[in-house]
């Protein structure tokens, strides 16, 4: 429900933040000093934008514009300028009496030694021994997204990201180097500012992220022990820096439209399909079609045929939707205290009416150096979000999905009367109502409200030179409320009393870590780093729900359930778990050339059996900086060549709490003449259950050539997972059919490549660079609970991926001249022909085969960036090739029975002997072997993003009293190239399993934005 003040709230917050920004700007502008200006160029004389120019020993500073120029007000006491930029060697220049400066920065090939975030610390790139992919803030900011996980797609090799559908606020599926587990989780671990999360990163504002590192091999992930088997994503948010206070305003707005539409039959095509469904059974007399039509069609359908009516119901549910984001940030600080504060308002309306997502976020990152030995800091995130139309976060389900009904609806019906009033029943069909009624305001409500407060608090004590102690504390509190309401004039209720449901969930998770680190270099050749950790993480999640029938007044929605006529059984639940860990890591290098990393973690989890609470997870990694050897030192075109190898064992603790224990279930019985309740054992426990364990071997090569013009990494790996948590079958005479045990094995093998090139970098300022990522992963089941034997009932097969499609193989449609052969299989011309795999002259369960899997043969992304005199242009293309998808669209909307509308497909008739789709038939609910119609090539190529921007010159920016201004426009997903769309009437093949029947079309999104700095 809204009030007149609701829409004013984001504007009020924005106005407050802008006033704050203006105040800070005035204070900065009032600082006295001398005007200093200059230009920064590289060795070729090309202007360098974004270079930091700071008065040494002060917070006064600025950055160069697109043409490499800068101006600043230096204090009268200023003596030196410090000029620095990533990829270049910093310079310090004396000011003296000079007011104009021309400085040339030299490329720093050792930018390969830039610091990257690893588990519990940082390392130089040249010293890392694990497989790590990075996504920068620049790549994240190019996409107008609400979920930062979407920025990983095609940008990090080895990471498979899919988003089924285009609902605002909808989550994504992330898989790092494939799936390992059948019953346990395959989700990676997310760590934000050093704190492992239990509630995910959906609530984090992507604009606040400085970088995302993906840890993929055992050397990188074993440090997280029992949670690292599925990979680790480290998220680092933006921090403050000593220097000039920078106030920024970043905003964009735009609109979304359906990218294509589902091709269903129009009125005439539906009428002919309905006729053909009767011809197939001899129940339509073509000699007198008028009389046959009168017997076949209802009065409203006959009227529709006569008037040429064809109602486009899906278009009644869709709209052109808006999107907007506004963010104000303030960053700066002194040598002792640094801060970064930001506030963001994001709103996205869905193309499906009444769906939307709104989020307010506020972040403050603060660090303070108390003295030479003590430092404290905090990273605090506050989030409030409102989501309309998505699943319940507490119990799942409840998604608002009327689109399928619109596809099914008879296009000959009459949705509105002559006065424009909605007709609830457009046809006499007893199971269908008007799809337009589903999007009448208040008819269907599916609403989630979330409040989250996340903190990462630390204190750092420098005990002595090289020895430090750090305390991390990360409390994370989330409150969720889900409410749903279904009115009487909806297809779900069909004029029955309205229903409502309310669910509540509260999670409190905290992490407490004690970290001791020691780093020392001996005799300038031996460098030793030691990390020791003790950690405790505890999670408590409470849930409750109640649902009712017969809401007294529909305006009450789900806010006054006590007045309902019928109460269904309520439910409550509590789930808690605790993880205690001890970890040690040793990093050693000799002359920066030979590298060694040893890691061991000892985890204890409350989720596992009493006899196996603790597990040990070790890893070892070696690295060789070959380019530092004497025989390669003088190779001018070689900047860096590093070889890496690692092996380790990591675990997967991703099962529900109490799943290892015997649980009780309530039962009913008769106590005399009265009903009574009791309890029985509902599931068998297993006190010997332990972690699933993944042993991973990885070989990697890092390289940089021609002063960074060509750089990248190559990876090859194999991961063997054993002790799978699977249900073993039991004789039913025991009273139970299954028990959870550690049985079974899986394997993943793969290749990855990341390549970056600088294709052109001219003296005139034109620059063209390219980033390419490639991933190839093969997953396979090696053993199941019964050894190397297929589990056909569960759809699991030795040597195949975890999800394999097992069905009959469609080889065409029976034709008229094959009538006798079809009869031998109990079929007739016009029906689906499937292959007799064993040649026994009959079709039975033995003729089913593995058709394919949703695992692609390869996936990858390519980003091209162009820069010239203030203009920047980029485009990003993502491809997923060689997968098979299962499309519920082609079963739910392809029944060909003549009752519901149908996909506009090429179906068989005696005069149209196609091999694509079978003949309509009124006597069958769906075609015989109709399941074979749902398997398609899932290959696609998507142009994910096209971005064009312009950075205004310093002269213009200064006249506006700003320090930087950029305007840009971007197009998200303008094109999808896929046979599933172009040939088979599908929507979008980007799914991790199946295209759901209620999936709404993909969207094309166009936005316009600006980035301003004061």
């Amino acid at each position: 429900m809204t009030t007149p003040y609701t829409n004013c709230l984001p504007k009020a917050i924005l106005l407050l933040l802008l006033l704050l920004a203006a105040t800070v700007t005035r204070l900065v502008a009032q600082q006295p000093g001398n005007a200093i200006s200059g230009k920064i160029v590289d060795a070729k004389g090309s202007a360098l934008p974004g270079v930091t120019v700071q008065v040494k020993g002060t917070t006064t500073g600025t950055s160069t514009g697109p043409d490499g120029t800068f101006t600043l007000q230096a204090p009268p006491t200023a003596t030196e300028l410090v000029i620095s930029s990533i990829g270049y060697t910093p310079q310090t220049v004396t000011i003296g009496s000079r007011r104009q400066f021309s400085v040339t920065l030299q490329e720093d090939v050792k930018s390969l030694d830039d610091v990257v975030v690893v588990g519990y610390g940082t390392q130089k790139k040249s010293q890392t021994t694990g497989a790590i992919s990075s996504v920068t803030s620049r790549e994240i900011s190019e996409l107008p997204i609400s979920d930062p996980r979407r920025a990983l797609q095609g940008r990090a090799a080895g990471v498979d990201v899919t988003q089924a559908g285009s609902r605002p606020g909808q989550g994504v599926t992330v898989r790092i180097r494939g799936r390992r587990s059948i019953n346990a989780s395959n989700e990676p671990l997310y760590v934000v500012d050093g704190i492992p999360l239990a509630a995910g990163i959906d609530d984090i504002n992507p604009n606040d992220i400085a970088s995302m590192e993906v840890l993929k091999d055992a050397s990188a992930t074993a440090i997280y022990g029992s949670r690292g088997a599925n990979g680790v994503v480290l998220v680092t948010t933006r921090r403050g820096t000593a220097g000039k206070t920078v106030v920024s305003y970043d905003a964009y707005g735009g609109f979304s439209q359906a990218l294509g539409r589902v091709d269903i039959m129009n009125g005439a095509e539906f009428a002919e399909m309905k006729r053909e469904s009767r011809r197939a059974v001899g129940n339509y007399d073509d000699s007198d079609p008028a009389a046959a039509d009168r017997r076949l069609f209802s009065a409203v359908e006959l009227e529709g045929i006569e008037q040429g009516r064809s109602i486009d119901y899906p278009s009644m549910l869709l709209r052109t939707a808006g999107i907007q984001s506004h963010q104000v940030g303030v960053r700066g600080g002194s040598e002792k205290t640094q801060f970064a504060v930001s506030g963001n308002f994001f709103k996205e309306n869905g193309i499906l009416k009444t769906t939307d997502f709104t989020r307010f976020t506020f972040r403050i990152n603060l660090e303070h150096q108390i003295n030479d030995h003590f430092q404290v800091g905090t990273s605090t995130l506050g989030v409030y979000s409102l989501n309309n139309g998505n699943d319940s976060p507490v119990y799942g389900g409840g998604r608002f999905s009327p689109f399928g009904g619109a596809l099914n609806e008879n296009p000959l019906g009459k949705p509105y009367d002559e006065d424009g009033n909605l007709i609830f029943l457009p046809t006499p069909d007893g199971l269908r109502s008007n799809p337009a009624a589903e999007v009448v305001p208040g008819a269907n409500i599916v609403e989630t409200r979330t409040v989250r407060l996340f903190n990462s608090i630390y204190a750092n004590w420098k005990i002595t030179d090289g020895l430090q102690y750090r305390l991390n504390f990360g409390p994370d509190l989330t409150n969720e409320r889900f409410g749903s309401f279904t009115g009487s004039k909806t297809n779900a209720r069909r004029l029955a009393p309205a229903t409502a449901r309310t669910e509540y969930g509260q999670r409190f998770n905290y992490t407490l870590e004690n970290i001791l680190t020691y780093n020392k270099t001996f005799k300038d050749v031996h460098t030793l780093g030691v990390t020791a950790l003790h950690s405790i993480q505890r999670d408590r999640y409470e849930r409750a729900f109640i649902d009712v029938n017969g809401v007294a007044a529909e305006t009450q929605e789900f806010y006054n359930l006590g007045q309902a006529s019928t109460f269904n059984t309520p439910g409550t639940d509590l789930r808690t778990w605790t993880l205690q860990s001890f970890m040690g890591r040793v990093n050693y290098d000799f002359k920066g050339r030979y590298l060694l990393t040893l890691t061991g973690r000892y985890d204890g989890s409350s989720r596992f059996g009493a006899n196996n609470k603790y597990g040990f997870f070790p890893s070892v990694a070696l690295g060789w900086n070959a380019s530092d050897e004497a025989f390669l030192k003088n190779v001018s075109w070689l900047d860096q060549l590093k070889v890496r190898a690692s092996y380790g064992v990591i675990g997967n603790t991703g099962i529900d709490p109490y799943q290892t224990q015997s649980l009780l279930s309530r039962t009913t019985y008769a106590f005399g003449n009265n009903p009574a309740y009791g309890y029985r054992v509902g599931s068998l426990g297993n006190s010997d259950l332990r972690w699933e364990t993944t042993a991973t071997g990885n070989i990697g090569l890092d390289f940089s050539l021609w002063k960074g013009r060509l750089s990248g990494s190559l990876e090859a790996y194999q991961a063997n997972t054993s002790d799978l948590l699977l249900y073993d079958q039991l004789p039913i005479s025991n009273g139970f059919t299954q028990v959870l045990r550690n049985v079974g094995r899986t394997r993943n093998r793969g290749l990855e490549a990341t390549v970056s090139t600088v294709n052109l970098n001219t003296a005139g300022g034109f620059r063209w660079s390219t980033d390419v990522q490639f991933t190839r992963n093969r997953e396979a089941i090696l053993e199941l609970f019964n050894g190397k034997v297929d589990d056909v009932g569960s759809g699991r097969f030795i040597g195949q991926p975890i999800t394999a499609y097992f069905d009959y193989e469609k080889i065409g449609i029976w034709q008229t001249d094959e009538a006798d052969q079809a009869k031998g299989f109990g079929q007739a011309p016009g029906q689906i022909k499937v292959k007799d795999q064993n040649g026994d002259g009959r079709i039975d369960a033995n003729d089913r085969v593995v058709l394919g899997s949703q695992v692609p043969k390869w996936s990858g992304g390519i980003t091209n960036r162009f820069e010239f005199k203030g203009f920047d242009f980029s485009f990003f293309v993502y491809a997923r090739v060689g997968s098979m998808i299962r499309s519920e669209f082609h079963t739910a909307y392809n029944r060909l029975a003549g009752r519901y509308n149908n996909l506009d497909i090429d179906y068989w008739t005696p005069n149209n002997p196609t091999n694509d789709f079978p003949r309509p038939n009124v006597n069958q609910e769906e075609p015989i072997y109709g399941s074979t119609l749902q398997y398609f090539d899932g290959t696609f190529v998507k142009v994910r993003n096209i971005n064009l921007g312009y950075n205004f010159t310093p002269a213009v920016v200064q006249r506006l009293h700003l320090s930087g201004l950029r305007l840009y426009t971007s197009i998200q997903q303008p094109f999808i190239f896929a046979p599933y769309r172009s040939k088979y009437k599908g929507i979008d093949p980007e799914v991790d399993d199946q295209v759901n029947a209620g999936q709404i079309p993909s969207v094309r999104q166009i936005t316009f934005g600006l980035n301003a700095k004061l």
Side-chain angles (χ1 to χ4, degrees):
M1 300 179 67
T2 61
T3 70
Y5 303 102
T6 303
N7 295 328
C8 299
L9 185 57
K11 296 179 182 178
I13 294 175
L14 178 60
L15 179 60
L16 180 61
L17 291 171
L18 286 173
L19 288 173
L20 174 62
T23 301
V24 174
T25 304
R26 285 196 300 270
L27 291 174
V28 172
Q30 291 170 4
Q31 298 298 316
N34 300 315
I36 292 177
S37 61
K39 185 173 183 178
I40 312 298
V41 299
D42 62 13
K44 296 180 180 179
S46 300
L48 290 178
V51 177
T52 299
V53 181
Q54 185 173 338
V55 177
K56 187 174 182 179
T58 73
T59 60
T60 302
T62 187
S63 58
T64 59
D67 60 353
T69 62
F70 71 90
T71 60
L72 62 81
Q73 292 289 329
T77 57
T79 58
E80 292 179 317
L81 294 178
V82 178
I83 301 171
S84 61
S85 180
I86 294 175
Y88 294 88
T89 303
Q91 281 196 38
T92 300
V93 296
T94 302
I95 297 176
S97 60
R98 299 170 60 190
R99 293 295 175 264
Q100 290 285 337
F101 294 85
S102 179
V103 180
T104 300
L105 291 183
Q106 300 296 324
E107 285 189 48
D108 180 13
V109 174
K110 294 302 182 181
S111 64
L112 296 166
D113 289 349
D114 287 344
V115 171
V116 296
V117 179
V118 297
Y120 302 106
T122 59
Q123 278 186 312
K124 293 181 179 180
K125 284 184 180 180
S126 63
Q127 305 307 106
T128 59
T129 54
I132 303 175
S133 292
S134 296
V135 178
T136 65
S137 59
R138 178 179 184 179
E139 294 168 311
I140 297 171
S141 65
E142 289 175 342
L143 301 170
I145 54 177
S146 62
D147 189 332
R149 294 177 298 177
R150 289 178 57 189
L152 296 172
Q153 187 182 67
R155 303 287 181 81
V159 183
D160 188 23
V161 180
T162 56
Q163 178 175 1
S166 55
R167 294 171 180 269
Q170 181 179 352
V172 300
T173 300
V174 178
R175 297 291 178 261
I176 299 176
R177 292 187 168 181
R179 298 166 299 178
R180 298 153 184 81
S181 181
I182 294 176
N183 282 329
S185 172
N186 285 294
E187 281 291 312
L189 172 68
Y190 296 96
V191 180
V192 177
D193 291 333
I195 302 298
L197 299 185
I201 63 172
D202 310 49
D203 297 319
I204 295 178
N205 174 20
N207 294 332
D208 286 334
I209 295 178
S211 68
M212 299 172 70
E213 273 78 28
V214 183
L215 313 185
K216 298 178 291 188
D217 72 331
S219 173
T221 62
I223 198 168
Y224 290 101
S226 62
R227 296 168 296 178
N230 301 320
V232 181
V233 179
L234 304 180
V235 179
T236 303
T237 59
R238 296 177 183 269
R239 325 300 290 185
T241 56
K244 176 187 175 183
T245 298
V246 177
V247 180
S248 61
Y249 172 64
D250 302 289
Y252 62 80
F255 58 90
S256 304
Q257 294 178 321
L259 182 59
R261 54 171 298 158
V262 182
D263 187 8
I264 55 177
M265 294 180 178
N266 60 29
E269 292 165 338
F270 171 77
E272 184 55 32
M273 185 264 291
K274 192 168 184 177
R275 294 185 187 105
E276 188 62 32
S277 71
R278 273 63 175 181
R279 290 191 189 103
V281 297
N283 195 19
Y284 188 87
D285 185 3
D286 280 295
S287 64
D288 189 358
D293 277 359
R294 286 194 296 272
R295 288 191 297 270
L296 175 58
F297 296 103
S298 66
V300 69
E301 289 177 311
L302 289 171
E303 178 188 271
I305 293 172
E306 180 181 352
Q307 296 179 357
R309 187 164 61 217
S310 183
I311 304 302
D312 183 7
Y313 284 102
S315 67
M316 296 180 180
L317 274 59
L318 301 180
R319 64 183 175 183
T320 296
I323 181 174
Q324 60 175 311
S325 173
H326 304 272
Q327 172 147 332
V328 173
V330 182
R331 298 173 62 199
S334 64
E335 294 297 329
K336 284 186 170 292
T337 304
Q338 297 87 44
F339 62 88
V341 182
S342 67
N344 178 268
F345 167 71
F346 176 88
K347 183 175 180 63
E348 181 180 7
N349 292 322
I351 61 169
L352 179 62
K353 292 179 180 177
T354 73
T355 63
D356 60 74
F357 177 67
T358 305
R359 182 176 63 195
F360 299 86
T361 60
F362 179 78
R363 172 175 291 278
I364 178 168
N365 289 356
L366 182 65
E367 297 176 296
H368 179 67
Q369 187 76 41
I370 299 175
N371 54 39
D372 291 341
H373 291 276
F374 290 96
Q375 184 184 37
V376 294
T378 181
S379 175
T380 300
L381 169 68
V383 180
Y384 170 76
S385 65
L386 173 63
N387 193 319
N388 286 300
N390 273 323
D391 289 336
S392 158
V394 183
Y395 284 96
R399 174 178 291 186
F400 178 51
S401 300
F403 193 70
L407 298 176
N408 258 334
E409 188 60 35
N410 187 333
L412 296 173
K414 190 175 182 179
Y416 296 97
D417 63 20
E418 287 71 13
D419 298 324
N421 298 313
L422 186 145
I423 299 175
F424 184 64
L425 301 175
T427 68
D429 192 311
L431 294 179
R432 297 301 315 154
S433 61
N434 194 333
E438 305 297 313
V439 293
V440 171
N444 281 286
I445 300 174
V446 182
E447 178 189 275
T448 303
R449 292 179 184 267
T450 303
V451 178
R452 185 175 183 183
L453 184 63
F454 168 75
N455 290 272
S456 174
I457 305 167
Y458 77 89
N460 197 75
W461 175 26
K462 182 179 178 181
I463 302 172
T464 186
D465 186 30
L467 181 64
Q468 296 189 56
Y469 165 76
R470 182 183 176 103
L471 173 68
N472 287 340
F473 179 54
D476 187 2
L477 176 65
T478 303
N479 277 289
E480 299 164 326
R481 195 275 289 139
F482 173 79
S484 67
F485 171 82
T486 307
S488 61
K489 288 187 176 181
T490 60
N491 193 256
R493 301 305 298 158
R494 292 189 55 78
L495 305 180
T499 66
R501 179 184 180 94
T502 300
E503 305 173 8
Y504 292 91
Q506 183 187 81
R507 164 172 272 127
F508 179 65
N509 182 282
Y510 72 85
T511 301
L512 182 65
E513 296 177 332
N514 297 279
I515 307 171
L516 196 64
T517 59
Y518 178 75
N519 292 282
K520 196 75 172 178
T521 299
F522 302 94
K523 298 183 179 180
D524 295 327
V525 294
H526 304 281
T527 300
L528 177 67
V530 180
T531 303
L533 164 84
H534 172 254
S535 172
I536 293 178
Q537 184 174 11
R538 183 169 177 81
D539 187 81
R540 176 187 173 91
Y541 191 29
E542 294 185 44
R543 309 187 296 179
F545 75 90
I546 183 171
D547 61 81
V548 301
N549 294 332
V551 175
E554 295 203 358
T555 54
Q556 293 176 339
E557 300 174 354
F558 47 80
Y559 293 107
N560 197 352
L561 302 186
Q563 294 187 2
S565 60
T566 304
F567 293 84
N568 299 319
T569 303
T572 59
D573 189 19
L574 172 65
R575 297 185 181 187
T576 63
W577 55 264
T578 303
L579 183 71
Q580 178 173 236
S581 307
F582 303 88
M583 184 275 295
R585 177 177 62 194
V586 176
N587 290 307
Y588 169 78
D589 74 70
F590 176 71
K591 294 185 177 180
R593 190 180 309 164
Y594 308 108
L595 315 172
L596 170 67
T597 301
L598 297 173
T599 303
R601 181 157 177 146
Y602 189 60
D603 276 349
S605 174
S606 64
R607 302 190 196 193
F608 284 90
N611 298 334
N612 286 294
K613 290 294 186 184
Y614 281 86
F616 180 65
F617 307 99
S619 75
V620 59
L622 300 172
W624 175 36
N625 277 311
S627 53
D628 289 343
E629 298 288 355
F631 62 89
L632 291 176
K633 273 281 190 180
N634 296 323
V635 178
S636 60
W637 51 268
L638 179 63
D639 307 329
Q640 188 196 43
L641 181 66
K642 181 174 68 175
V643 181
R644 296 177 280 105
S646 67
Y647 179 83
V649 176
I650 40 184
N652 187 355
T653 187
I655 64 171
D656 293 333
Y658 322 123
Q659 197 171 343
T660 63
Q661 302 177 14
S662 296
L663 302 177
L664 294 178
S665 297
R666 194 169 77 165
T667 187
T668 58
Y669 63 95
F671 187 75
N673 294 324
N674 299 315
Y677 298 99
Y679 293 89
R680 60 179 174 83
V681 178
S683 62
L684 288 181
N686 184 350
S687 58
D688 292 325
L689 283 176
R690 58 188 179 275
W691 284 275
E692 295 182 349
T693 303
T694 299
T696 302
N698 190 94
I699 298 175
L701 176 70
D702 300 328
F703 60 90
S704 177
L705 312 175
W706 299 294
K707 297 189 181 300
R709 296 294 291 265
L710 174 64
S711 61
S713 63
L714 304 174
E715 309 280 352
Y717 63 87
Q718 176 167 316
N720 295 319
T721 301
S722 58
D723 295 331
L724 293 182
L725 290 160
L726 292 177
Y727 283 101
D728 199 354
Q729 296 178 352
L730 297 175
I732 196 171
S733 57
N734 290 332
F736 296 92
T737 60
Q738 61 185 16
V739 62
L740 192 63
R741 293 180 54 207
N742 290 105
V743 289
R745 296 187 298 120
T746 61
R747 181 189 65 211
N748 278 271
R749 289 174 174 167
L751 299 172
E752 299 167 2
T754 299
V755 178
S756 297
T757 64
V758 180
N759 307 309
L760 288 174
N761 190 13
T762 68
F766 180 75
R767 180 183 175 91
W768 170 27
S769 62
T770 303
D771 296 324
V772 179
Q773 285 79 32
F774 171 85
T775 299
R776 177 185 174 93
N777 180 76
R778 293 289 179 270
E779 65 179 45
I781 298 174
L782 301 182
E783 287 185 13
L784 293 166
F785 64 87
N786 49 358
K788 296 182 179 181
V789 180
D790 296 339
D791 182 2
V792 177
S794 301
R796 298 165 186 156
F797 304 91
I798 303 301
Q800 296 293 332
I802 289 174
T803 301
Y805 299 132
F806 183 71
D807 208 334
Y808 299 100
E809 181 183 357
K810 174 181 175 287
I811 56 175
I813 305 296
W814 289 110
Q815 301 300 322
T816 303
D817 59 0
E818 298 176 307
D820 292 339
Q821 185 182 356
K823 187 176 181 180
F825 288 95
Q827 293 188 264
Q831 293 182 323
I832 297 172
K833 183 200 300 186
V834 298
K835 187 175 182 178
D836 180 11
Q837 300 287 347
N838 55 16
D840 63 357
R842 61 179 180 176
I843 301 297
D844 56 24
N846 294 321
D847 293 303
R848 294 176 299 168
V849 294
V850 174
L851 301 174
S853 169
Q854 78 263 39
V855 178
K857 292 181 179 179
W858 63 271
S859 63
I862 179 170
T863 303
N864 281 281
R865 294 187 176 89
F866 305 86
E867 300 173 26
F868 181 67
K869 293 185 176 180
F871 287 96
D872 59 85
F873 174 75
S874 66
F875 65 90
F876 168 44
V877 179
Y878 174 68
R880 203 167 185 259
V881 178
S883 65
M884 176 177 280
I885 61 172
R886 184 172 56 188
S887 174
E888 283 191 357
F889 257 69
H890 289 77
T891 53
Y893 311 123
N894 200 23
R895 299 186 184 278
L896 293 168
R899 178 175 183 178
Y900 305 119
N901 203 0
N902 207 91
L903 295 178
D904 184 17
I905 47 89
D906 182 23
Y907 59 80
W908 189 94
T909 69
N911 298 322
N912 183 42
T914 178
N915 275 299
D916 289 339
F917 293 94
R919 187 179 192 179
N921 191 318
V922 70
N923 287 343
Q924 58 191 34
E925 187 69 23
E926 59 185 34
I928 299 172
Y929 302 121
S931 64
T932 63
L933 300 176
Q934 65 181 327
Y935 304 108
F936 297 93
D937 181 3
T939 295
F940 66 83
V941 176
K942 293 187 175 185
V943 179
R944 273 298 192 194
N945 179 63
I946 301 175
N947 195 301
L948 174 64
Y950 177 70
N951 288 281
F952 284 84
T953 64
V956 174
V957 170
Q958 290 172 13
R959 283 198 296 269
L960 297 173
H961 304 289
L962 300 173
S963 62
L965 178 63
R966 177 176 181 264
L967 299 181
Y968 67 92
T969 182
S970 68
I971 306 176
Q972 308 300 314
Q973 197 168 265
F975 306 108
I976 302 177
F977 304 100
Y980 176 66
R981 282 174 56 88
S982 60
K983 186 176 180 181
Y984 298 112
K985 315 294 186 181
I987 288 184
D988 190 341
E990 185 184 337
V991 292
D992 63 343
D993 182 13
Q994 67 182 19
V995 180
N996 295 320
Q999 182 173 320
I1000 61 177
S1002 296
V1003 300
R1004 175 191 294 116
Q1005 193 174 81
I1006 300 175
T1007 57
F1008 303 89
L1010 66 87
N1011 308 119
K1013 291 183 179 180
L1014 303 178

